[in-house]
Amino acid sequence: MTSAAQPIADYVRLLDPAVRPDPYPLFARIREAGPFRIGTAPVVVVTSHADCTAVLRDPRVSVNQSLAKLQLGSMPIFDATKTTAAQAKPSFLFLDPPDHTRLRRLVSKAFTPRVVQRLEPRITELVDDILDKHSAAATFDAVTEFAYPLPVTVICELLGVPLEDEARLSRWSSLLSRTLDPTSRQAAEFRADPAELQRAGTELSAYFEQLTEHRRAAPGPDLLSELLAAEDAGDKLTHEELIATCALLLVAGHETTVNLIANATLALLRRPDELAALRANPERAQGFIEETLRFDPPVQLIPRIAADDLTVGGFAVERGDLVVMLIAAAQRDPAAFPDPDRFDPSRDNRHLAFGLGAHFCLGAPLARLEARVALTRFAQRVEAPRLSTDPPVYREHVNLRGPAHMPIEFATILPR
Ligand code: HEM
């Protein structure tokens, strides 16, 4: 195999579920090859911290997938599901200014660190409720019965989605997050059923249509009612944009945060010294979460489209090329992080796990808060926890990568 073919073969191997528990040796090899093109396709893979940072900050790159020469179908959350009028418009994750600026501004005030901080007592209560449920047991699944329920409850409460609908929303969100994988249209590798995805998108959209009607009649103290007021106030957002924004917040805020809590819990269980230290000093949680975001990121890659010809790390990128930034590789780049394969919560951490620039994750303060509270309460209340199996079983998701199940055993759960 020639040296040009090797990184392509390695890149394709990332799609193999067998690699999911530890893709990092593969990411290291791909990164060492530098930026490369996938054969003759209009797809360039970017892997170093410096190159990913440069692309994320470059005004000549876009999120508008209609500019891409190759319509891979891998980027829009609702790619497989644009069947209703409400979904004809992508969410603002896939819009450039001025639409992006206008829509992001409308929701951003609900996610500032100050506003989010007020949710801490409620999030603590939710985490304690989850742990209480397991107090009579000797084992629980730290993904499905710990990491999973918290983010969906939090985002539903924020948006004003009734609690009894949580299970349906969880299912739609989990299915739709598969459309962020790099292989969505490559049927041979794509294991989710496209018809099922299509149905999930249509149902989610119809659900928010119905909920907006209820909220219009009886507004509540929630984000959906606020967005409806903005819609009524004139040209700030259209009905289609409102539905797309609700769906974005649900999907973007759910699976990612589940993965962060699960990945951080896994990192903690593998490091008994860190567990003891966190138990004694809850302030350590912050550094631990940041290092989890670098070491084992919930979002492994970020796509962009070149809106102009440019060079990245000396490599020519053409207008219309899809640029795939392997964040998970960049975050183990020794040029940016000394001894990158060492998990070090005290390091100076310039990770890219929440992206960078105009589309920097809107929910980062909320995700950090949820993860910090979950990890701290876990360390404080679960006595002598240990993994039943290591490594855990992973979900098939390539991009929003995380464990599917993580059974743990423990001595007892202390009262709150
Ligand atoms: C650990 C959890 C999370 C991770 C790792 C994460 C990661 C990311 C990343 C990498 C992006 C940038 C995508 C790009 O540049 O194309 C992003 C954007 C976004 N995230 Fe998050 N996210 C998390 C949690 C959340 C939460 C809790 C919410 C909200 C409830 C949220 C809402 C959003 C939104 C609305 C955007 C689009 C921002 C824009 O286009 O301006 N995220 N997230």
Side-chain angles (χ1 to χ4, degrees), residues 120-135 150 279 373 376-383 412-416:
E120 180 159 357
R122 175 66 183 143
I123 291 173
T124 307
E125 190 185 13
L126 288 171
V127 173
D128 278 331
D129 287 349
I130 292 169
L131 289 174
D132 284 350
K133 278 195 195 139
H134 307 307
S135 57
L150 179 68
R279 208 169 208 209
V373 173
T376 309
R377 296 307 286 153
F378 180 91
Q380 288 172 333
R381 294 192 57 198
V382 185
E383 289 262 289
T412 180
I413 293 183
L414 298 174
R416 52 173 97 180

Side-chain angles (χ1 to χ4, degrees), residues 183-256:
T183 54
S184 303
R185 287 266 177 85
Q186 294 164 6
E189 284 128 8
F190 191 55
R191 284 149 198 261
D193 174 3
E196 199 183 2
L197 281 183
Q198 173 114 6
R199 227 176 9 256
T202 308
E203 284 170 3
L204 178 61
S205 177
Y207 175 84
F208 277 121
E209 291 279 356
Q210 216 178 31
L211 189 64
T212 47
E213 287 320 306
H214 286 302
R215 284 289 171 279
R216 211 187 290 280
D222 52 63
L223 190 54
L224 178 53
S225 301
E226 273 176 40
L227 290 174
L228 270 168
E231 184 196 352
D232 290 344
D235 63 352
K236 287 180 190 152
L237 99 161
T238 65
H239 185 64
E240 291 74 23
E241 289 169 341
L242 185 144
I243 301 292
T245 301
C246 289
L248 169 67
L249 291 173
L250 176 80
V251 179
H254 183 209
E255 299 292 323
T256 49

Side-chain angles (χ1 to χ4, degrees), residues 93 100 104 111 155 252-253 256-257 260 302 304 353-354 359 361 363 367:
L93 177 58
H100 171 260
R104 182 172 165 120
F111 292 98
I155 196 69
T256 49
T257 314
L260 175 58
I302 299 179
R304 285 289 185 271
F354 291 121
H359 293 271
C361 177

